[in-house]
Amino acid sequence: MRSGMASLLALPWAKSLSAAAAPATAPHLNLSRGARGLPQDDEIVLGVSAAFSGPSRGLGTELYRGAMAYFNQVNENGGVNGRRIVMKLLDDGYQPDPCVANTIELIQDESVFLLFNYVGTPTVTRALPVLKKFRDQQVYLFFPFTGAEPQREPPYGEFAFNLRASYRQETAGLVDNFVALGRRRVAVFYQNDAYGRSGWAGVREALARHGETIAGEATYMRGTQFGASMRGQVEILQARAPDAVICIGAYQACAAFARDAEDLGLHIPVANVSFVGSENLLALMREGRADADSHTRFLVNSQVVPSYEDTSLPAVREYHELMERYNPPLPSSEDVDRIAEGEPYEPFAQSFVSLEGFVNAKLITEIIRRMGDDPQRSGIEDAVFAVRNYDLGVGERVRFGPDRRQGLQQVYYTVPEGDRFVPLDDWEARFGLP
Amino acid sequence: MTRSRRHGREALLVRKLFRKTRFGFFALFAAVVLSISILSITSVSRELRDEYIINSESIAKNIADSSVDILLNRNLATLQSLIDQFVQIQSIRYIYITSDTGEFLAHTFIPGIPEEILASDHTATEPVDRSLPGLGDFIEVGSPILSGVAGTVHVGMDLELLGLKTQRAVGQQIYLLCIILVTGVLASIWLVNLASRPLAALLEFVVRLARERDEDRVAHDDLLVRDDEIGDMARLMQHVADGRAREGGVRTGKGR
């Protein structure tokens, strides 16, 4: 699908993008007329602040598209208890301050029913105190696209509900597998912010359980592009002679690091966590390279949703069907002309990120459905806690409770095969020591 | 020699008397500007540096106070988020937090922690000057977290920025002093000229008195009517000249 950023908001964060889930014939309904206030008679508004512009725009875009595929179908079938589900989108460019401003706007000005599908740790970490400030309004953040701890622990854990596994679980899984292969010297390449630190802490904790410490570490600045050189970072890690590197970053920088690591002879497994945006990373690394397969042979990515290739799972089949049926276009805005140039983005037919957006939408729809004909914010928490053994169709049942604010626990591991990431079945065969 | 050329030559002779005065003025002003500049550079530099240290100490203490619960909750992402906000302050170039065992729990270094920092005393809190290859020169201060049992916060302030601030502050002062110097020199030249002009006229008057014959004598009303010392001297000279002329006349009469 070829589509430009023409339909994607990339204006300053304060500028809102109104888009909504709506019937397929008009998928981008501008909500400026009716999105305000608590549930209207005919719609429920979910507030979204995410990266729709900048180097991480692929994440916000794919997450949105996956959610849209599901909401389109829900709305086409009459909505939830007669109400359509719509999203009020604001762009934060994956930057903390705009995310804070957006969150305040969504709560105060837009009075959204709940917050949904936020993208990123540095953004969410800063938005959480806003939720605490407005705690009397009982605004909850649902299913942020981050596995960091701040929204899972006191003092802000009570304001958020997570669906995906945490970075702690992802990094622990990666470390355990590397250590099992004898690769005990694990280094970390990370984005030097709350997200990177969260993953770094996960690696450190997991290594400590094996009696090891981080073998070496290198950092990069948030927003670094694929064109940047990572020679300095690669050389820092090379000097520590690691057996494997775990990257905690976004796709542009992590692709640049993996490229330079390969080019500079650091031939060891390079792992990424789910936030990286696997398809975006792979597309960057393969672009224009005749040796793309060998160039990406050391990559291994952890995921928090099953492979979108695994059509034995009902949710994955549904995802394929709805993504194909609606093929959700990029978010649009009235100011489309102002953002069209310089930021082209070509979405993926399927991706782990859009699948995550899809299952997030599926579960939030179920929670709203359980709230009955007159959903109120005061009833949100009880409705979530009532989800105790729900089959989302991903092979793992979802369970929430007062002491369990994360629905899924499973972590999956994937490796590149051509232009896709496929499940990794045999660690020893792929990454065993010679 | 024409009358005007003689006048110019005499005025020049008088101004020579003030050349040293003008030089003296200039030297004095220059000495004042130079000494004030040196004093200014040292005092501004010292004051800004002290202010820098005080600011960084208060920032380090602020972070240390804010970090206690975060550290005890092992919430390193929030800790990183906290220092990321502080490092946006212009003069702060880096922050790092070490545990009580010296482990780096959060930092702002890219692409990695410099070797000099890794090798430094992680419990030190006294201000220390650091020169980090590729990064620049810094003043680093520390602040203990929970009296040091939870770790230490270290804040690095940019010395290059401090130098620029010092240069700017001193530059402004020197600029002002230079304006005063130039104005003072120009004013002194004007004043000297003002004072030398009647003296030159007086000199010319005296020379003429000595040279001119009675019938050539011209009136010098502008000098003789002055009520200052120049006027007094002119009248005195005129009186002496008149006396000598009278004596000359009597002597001539007697001779006849």
Side-chain angles (χ1 to χ4, degrees):
Chain A
M1 183 173 87
R2 160 68 60 184
S3 179
M5 262 328 236
S7 54
L8 171 62
L9 161 88
L11 294 173
W13 11 87
K15 175 70 189 169
S16 75
L17 168 68
S18 295
T25 50
H28 293 289
L29 178 65
N30 191 310
L31 292 180
S32 56
R33 42 127 195 110
R36 307 176 89 83
L38 289 173
Q40 312 284 309
D41 286 344
D42 60 346
E43 62 190 24
I44 288 174
V45 183
L46 315 183
V48 181
S49 177
F52 295 111
S53 65
S56 299
R57 65 186 180 278
L59 303 177
T61 303
E62 294 299 338
L63 200 68
Y64 162 82
R65 291 182 67 244
M68 279 294 292
Y70 191 79
F71 287 147
N72 278 344
Q73 187 231 19
V74 170
N75 292 334
E76 204 172 68
N77 293 326
V80 182
N81 299 322
R83 290 186 173 88
R84 292 164 48 253
I85 297 179
V86 294
M87 286 191 283
K88 177 72 181 176
L89 305 183
L90 295 177
D91 178 28
D92 58 36
Y94 189 39
Q95 295 296 330
D97 288 341
C99 182
V100 170
N102 288 350
T103 305
I104 293 169
E105 183 180 334
L106 289 169
I107 295 172
Q108 279 196 321
D109 301 339
E110 303 296 340
S111 298
V112 297
F113 186 55
L114 52 84
L115 302 173
F116 180 68
N117 267 8
Y118 272 42
V119 171
T121 307
T123 44
V124 167
T125 303
R126 292 283 301 282
L128 289 171
V130 178
L131 303 187
K132 191 165 189 173
K133 160 68 182 168
F134 292 104
R135 66 185 310 160
D136 56 324
Q137 295 187 34
Q138 295 177 298
V139 181
Y140 295 96
L141 172 61
F142 276 83
F143 314 147
F145 185 64
T146 160
E149 297 306 313
Q151 76 273 12
R152 289 173 164 80
E153 294 178 344
Y156 301 118
E158 61 184 296
F159 304 106
F161 290 99
N162 306 279
L163 183 56
R164 59 174 13 244
S166 68
Y167 293 143
R168 192 176 276 171
Q169 290 168 304
E170 285 189 66
T171 51
L174 288 167
V175 166
D176 290 348
N177 279 297
F178 284 137
V179 170
L181 296 173
R183 296 185 179 273
R184 302 184 70 88
R185 290 185 57 77
V186 178
V188 188
F189 166 76
Y190 61 101
Q191 183 169 291
N192 205 4
D193 64 4
Y195 162 48
R197 186 59 58 192
S198 188
W200 177 91
V203 174
R204 169 177 170 260
E205 205 174 286
L207 285 169
R209 283 196 292 273
H210 295 285
E212 299 286 348
T213 58
I214 292 174
E217 62 175 77
T219 58
Y220 76 91
M221 187 181 291
R222 182 175 61 239
T224 298
Q225 304 268 5
F226 180 62
S229 170
M230 291 291 170
R231 172 179 279 271
Q233 284 83 347
V234 171
E235 286 174 349
I236 286 172
L237 297 189
Q238 268 180 323
R240 307 281 173 179
D243 297 322
V245 179
I246 296 178
C247 302
I248 316 292
Y251 59 87
Q252 298 247 7
C254 289
F257 174 80
R259 173 201 65 206
D260 290 352
E262 174 71 17
D263 290 346
L264 293 168
L266 188 63
H267 296 146
I268 54 173
V270 175
N272 294 277
V273 294
S274 58
F275 181 85
V276 77
S278 297
E279 291 76 17
N280 299 86
L281 176 133
L282 198 55
L284 282 173
M285 289 192 69
R286 292 182 64 87
E287 195 174 358
R289 291 196 78 109
D291 60 343
D293 288 342
S294 64
H295 197 63
T296 57
R297 68 198 148 138
F298 289 108
L299 289 178
V300 52
N301 287 14
S302 60
Q303 313 288 354
V304 291
V305 289
S307 169
Y308 49 83
E309 303 276 350
D310 187 357
T311 50
S312 67
L313 297 169
V316 174
R317 283 200 302 275
E318 193 180 11
Y319 163 76
H320 274 269
E321 181 194 335
L322 296 183
M323 285 296 282
E324 196 172 321
R325 186 193 305 171
Y326 296 109
N327 191 13
L330 303 174
S332 65
S333 87
E334 291 176 359
D335 300 286
V336 59
D337 291 342
R338 295 175 59 186
I339 59 166
E341 291 180 17
E343 291 201 23
Y345 180 77
E346 188 165 341
F348 297 95
Q350 285 99 33
S351 69
F352 286 98
V353 179
S354 63
L355 176 57
E356 184 170 345
F358 182 87
V359 295
N360 287 351
K362 193 170 160 69
L363 185 57
I364 200 69
T365 302
E366 173 63 17
I367 289 167
I368 294 170
R369 188 187 65 73
R370 291 179 183 211
M371 295 178 73
D373 294 338
D374 185 25
Q376 298 295 323
R377 282 177 182 162
S378 56
I380 290 177
E381 207 168 44
D382 288 341
V384 178
F385 293 155
V387 178
R388 290 208 176 95
N389 196 28
Y390 180 67
D391 186 2
L392 198 54
V394 293
E396 179 190 3
R397 289 182 177 269
V398 181
R399 188 159 64 88
F400 282 101
D403 298 323
R404 187 185 168 100
R405 300 179 85 91
Q406 178 183 308
L408 297 172
Q409 313 297 325
Q410 186 71 41
V411 177
Y412 310 83
Y413 304 98
T414 56
V415 288
E417 191 176 286
D419 60 356
R420 300 202 142 195
F421 271 90
V422 298
L424 171 60
D425 300 321
D426 189 343
W427 280 81
E428 182 66 43
R430 183 96 179 191
F431 297 118
L433 286 169
Chain B
M1 188 181 290
T2 63
R3 182 188 173 101
S4 63
R5 282 181 66 189
R6 270 206 317 272
H7 176 81
R9 186 168 166 272
E10 284 142 9
L12 201 64
L13 289 171
V14 172
R15 282 177 191 145
K16 283 181 181 172
L17 294 173
F18 290 96
R19 196 172 290 159
K20 287 182 180 175
T21 311
R22 280 200 299 268
F23 179 76
F25 270 126
F26 183 80
L28 183 65
F29 273 115
V32 168
V33 168
L34 190 65
S35 57
I36 290 178
S37 298
I38 292 169
L39 185 69
S40 176
I41 289 168
T42 52
S43 64
V44 167
S45 175
R46 190 174 54 243
E47 281 172 21
L48 279 178
R49 186 185 164 88
D50 290 348
E51 190 183 312
Y52 239 50
I53 291 172
I54 290 168
N55 283 346
S56 48
E57 281 175 339
S58 64
I59 288 167
K61 186 174 185 321
N62 200 337
I63 297 171
D65 292 343
S66 312
S67 305
V68 177
D69 283 339
I70 300 171
L71 272 175
L72 295 180
N73 287 327
R74 297 182 310 145
N75 197 338
L76 298 183
T78 305
L79 190 66
Q80 183 71 42
S81 181
L82 176 73
I83 66 172
D84 286 348
Q85 291 174 60
F86 277 97
V87 90
Q88 288 171 9
I89 297 171
Q90 191 190 20
S91 52
I92 298 180
R93 284 295 303 277
Y94 65 81
I95 300 172
Y96 63 96
I97 298 178
T98 49
S99 71
D100 57 329
T101 59
E103 187 181 12
F104 286 75
L105 299 177
H107 68 81
T108 59
F109 294 110
I110 293 172
I113 305 170
E115 290 297 329
E116 185 181 330
I117 299 281
L118 286 169
S120 65
D121 176 8
H122 63 87
T123 59
T125 57
E126 289 300 310
V128 58
D129 282 5
R130 285 198 191 287
S131 186
L132 302 176
L135 293 177
D137 297 327
F138 308 92
I139 304 173
E140 184 184 304
V141 299
S143 184
I145 304 170
L146 213 60
S147 295
V149 296
T152 309
V153 176
H154 305 263
V155 175
M157 306 286 277
D158 192 348
L159 268 177
E160 192 178 328
L161 192 64
L162 175 65
L164 285 175
K165 282 184 175 177
T166 306
Q167 277 177 20
R168 200 177 302 137
V170 170
Q172 284 170 348
Q173 292 189 21
I174 290 177
Y175 178 68
L176 181 64
L177 286 169
C178 285
I179 289 174
I180 293 171
L181 172 71
V182 171
T183 309
V185 168
L186 290 176
S188 71
I189 290 170
W190 181 73
L191 286 170
V192 164
N193 285 345
L194 202 64
S196 67
R197 205 172 298 133
L199 276 176
L202 179 63
L203 180 61
E204 183 192 355
F205 173 65
V206 172
V207 170
R208 281 182 182 169
L209 278 181
R211 289 178 179 169
E212 289 171 351
R213 294 171 299 185
D214 289 348
E215 59 272 23
D216 294 337
R217 201 173 279 178
V218 293
H220 290 280
D221 291 345
D222 53 341
L223 281 176
L224 296 172
V225 298
R226 291 179 69 110
D227 61 351
D228 55 10
E229 288 80 359
I230 300 293
D232 292 343
M233 286 182 72
R235 284 188 291 277
L236 182 61
M237 297 291 184
Q238 178 76 56
H239 178 72
V240 172
D242 289 347
R244 288 180 63 186
R246 275 195 301 273
E247 283 174 13
V250 170
R251 209 174 292 136
T252 307
K254 279 181 181 175
R256 280 177 189 167

